[in-house]
Amino acid sequence: MTERIGIIGGGIVGIAIARALSSRGLADVTVLEKEQRVAAHQTGHNSGVVHAGLYYAPGSLKAMLCQRGRALTRDYCRERNLPYRELGKLVVAVTEDELPALANIESRSVANGVPGLRRLGAKAMRDVEPHVTGVAALHSPHTAVVDFAAITESMAEDIRSAGGRIMLGHEAVSITTERGQVRVNTSHAEFTFDRLIACAGLQSDVVAGLAGASPAPKILPFRGEYWDLSAAKQHFVRGMIYPVPDPSFPFLGVHFTRGVYDTIHVGPNAVPALAREGYRWSNVSLKDTAASIMWPGALALARKHWRMGAQEIAASLIKPLYFRQARRFIPELQMDDLTAKTAAGVRAQAWSLDGSLLDDFAIEEMGPVTLLRNAPSPAATSAMAIADYVLEHHVLRRR
């Protein structure tokens, strides 16, 4: 008898896992997605960068799965005639104070096998990005951009073609395990599976709670806001220009990205969202905000990152402060070159009871239920590799 496997979550990771199962004939697959379309949240609200693996700790799941995922994403886009553009990324040290951190990224990149990586001086970096300023840079020529929502929609069609089901508008409201089977009640129906895999992104701790898992790690939603670069200054950015990230802060900082359709985004920043799906300051959930404030690790997190948090919030509300961050890399920019804030994204950042933020992918197993507890960037890049990893370590080995 064919095993029945349910997937909660229609983002790129959940759809990639469902596709891996259905296309190989390993299970009768049903995806439960609470929205009316796939890729509705993190997958459809990011900058579309296919990462090459520069930043991640060697030996971590992020480092291992990012490289494999990049290759699988590239090959899939070529097979399906989906856009995949290797525009390249320049990680720029603006001042000499940033050179030690740049050297650390270079060391990690070499350990992670980042293809084609080069260390550039001030003159050589301007051969790559003529308008950038700085003292040194790392150039990753194979960092690419794609349309992750289009990839997810294409994989969803693969699932349907293989006989799988994608149930839109089905929000999981209860999960019960009895006699080795998993019963999931949604807002519209009841389903029984032999195995359940939850890839719920911004709702991952909520879904884990439905399955009886520990409340930790908890999801802290961070909104990333983008400005568009004016049409007259599109030539200022050929590919991607990134800062050297602050190693004490879990986000990269404001950067420039030429998207797959040639729109250039400036950002994102990182501000606490006032709702799990809070794409604007006006999106407020008292329940979500109270849950974050009352979390045992909230005070420790605030003490550690309050200064950076205040700076990010101020830059979100005051355009000149945001502009100042961007202009560090391209001094020719003028304030009016940032034309409009585009739709923001919200990142699901997992944090522990002690207030520490989880850096690596985190997967938890509870009998017939597998929970992806933390899947931040580069999860979209790594999605197909995450799918293979979950199949190998959490599905096939149990048979």
Side-chain angles (χ1 to χ4, degrees):
M1 181 177 176
T2 303
E3 188 175 25
R4 297 165 300 172
I5 296 182
I7 310 287
I8 294 180
I12 193 169
V13 175
I15 293 297
I17 293 172
R19 174 181 174 269
L21 287 164
S22 58
S23 64
R24 299 171 196 179
L26 295 174
D28 177 25
V29 176
T30 302
V31 178
L32 304 176
E33 165 56 46
K34 73 182 182 72
E35 305 296 350
Q36 295 299 325
R37 59 187 175 90
V38 299
H41 291 294
Q42 290 183 104
T43 302
H45 289 83
N46 60 46
S47 56
V49 175
V50 180
H51 296 281
L54 278 74
Y55 309 104
Y56 318 121
S60 65
L61 280 178
K62 279 188 176 182
M64 293 186 292
L65 299 180
C66 180
Q67 279 291 352
R68 177 64 177 151
R70 181 186 67 83
L72 291 171
T73 301
R74 177 199 62 207
D75 293 347
Y76 185 83
C77 287
R78 290 174 178 172
E79 290 169 5
R80 303 308 167 93
N81 198 30
L82 294 169
Y84 185 95
R85 301 177 65 189
E86 289 190 343
L87 299 179
K89 174 195 291 186
L90 205 62
V91 181
V92 179
V94 176
T95 66
E96 292 191 358
D97 291 344
E98 296 175 330
L99 291 177
L102 187 71
N104 182 55
I105 294 172
E106 183 177 19
S107 176
R108 287 190 170 195
S109 300
V110 171
N112 293 339
V114 174
L117 188 77
R118 293 188 301 153
R119 175 75 173 257
L120 305 179
K123 181 179 183 300
M125 78 170 72
R126 282 190 286 275
D127 291 336
V128 177
E129 291 285 359
H131 297 274
V132 77
T133 188
V135 296
L138 292 174
H139 183 223
S140 170
H142 296 292
T143 298
V145 288
V146 296
D147 183 339
F148 281 121
I151 293 172
T152 306
E153 290 163 359
S154 178
M155 289 196 295
E157 286 305 311
D158 295 340
I159 294 166
R160 295 183 180 105
S161 296
R165 291 165 297 281
I166 300 177
M167 310 298 292
L168 301 175
H170 280 260
E171 180 177 0
V173 296
S174 72
I175 299 172
T176 307
T177 302
E178 294 178 351
R179 300 173 186 172
Q181 293 190 326
V182 186
R183 186 171 68 251
V184 180
N185 283 288
T186 74
S187 46
H188 296 294
E190 179 179 294
F191 300 86
T192 301
F193 304 113
D194 299 303
R195 182 154 195 83
L196 180 70
I197 303 171
C199 313
L202 289 161
Q203 307 291 340
S204 61
D205 55 341
V206 175
V207 172
L210 295 179
S214 165
K218 180 177 176 56
I219 292 301
L220 179 64
F222 278 93
R223 185 172 64 255
E225 302 161 330
Y226 298 85
W227 286 83
D228 280 344
L229 192 63
S230 67
K233 300 297 174 64
Q234 296 279 304
H235 65 284
F236 275 15
V237 180
R238 290 177 173 176
M240 289 159 261
I241 301 171
Y242 275 55
V244 176
D246 181 344
S248 66
F249 196 60
F251 305 107
L252 291 175
V254 169
H255 46 275
F256 298 79
T257 302
R258 179 177 288 275
V260 73
Y261 303 118
D262 278 328
T263 299
I264 295 178
H265 299 298
V266 185
N269 56 359
V271 297
L274 301 180
R276 286 177 183 268
E277 295 160 8
Y279 296 101
R280 297 175 178 81
W281 281 112
S282 57
N283 297 144
V284 179
S285 166
L286 296 179
K287 178 182 177 182
D288 290 349
T289 303
S292 294
I293 293 172
M294 297 301 293
W295 184 249
L299 184 58
L301 183 70
R303 284 173 176 167
K304 184 176 182 180
H305 294 296
W306 71 269
R307 190 182 302 276
M308 180 66 77
Q311 292 172 354
E312 291 289 294
I313 292 171
S316 169
L317 299 173
I318 304 171
K319 182 180 178 181
L321 298 180
Y322 198 106
F323 169 72
R324 188 183 303 168
Q325 294 183 38
R327 195 170 185 260
R328 290 182 69 234
F329 303 95
I330 303 180
E332 297 168 73
L333 279 181
Q334 301 297 316
M335 181 93 70
D336 290 344
D337 294 331
L338 304 186
T339 57
K341 273 189 178 179
T342 57
V346 180
R347 166 176 169 160
Q349 174 62 57
W351 56 328
S352 301
L353 286 166
D354 63 1
S356 60
L357 299 177
L358 271 67
D359 182 57
D360 205 3
F361 299 147
I363 304 173
E364 182 179 343
E365 195 168 288
M366 298 179 58
V369 179
T370 299
L371 304 164
L372 272 71
R373 300 297 302 259
N374 190 44
S377 179
T381 297
S382 309
M384 297 182 196
I386 292 173
D388 289 344
Y389 181 89
V390 169
L391 262 61
E392 179 182 353
H393 293 275
H394 298 278
V395 177
L396 297 179
R397 73 174 180 82
R398 294 178 56 87
R399 293 187 169 182

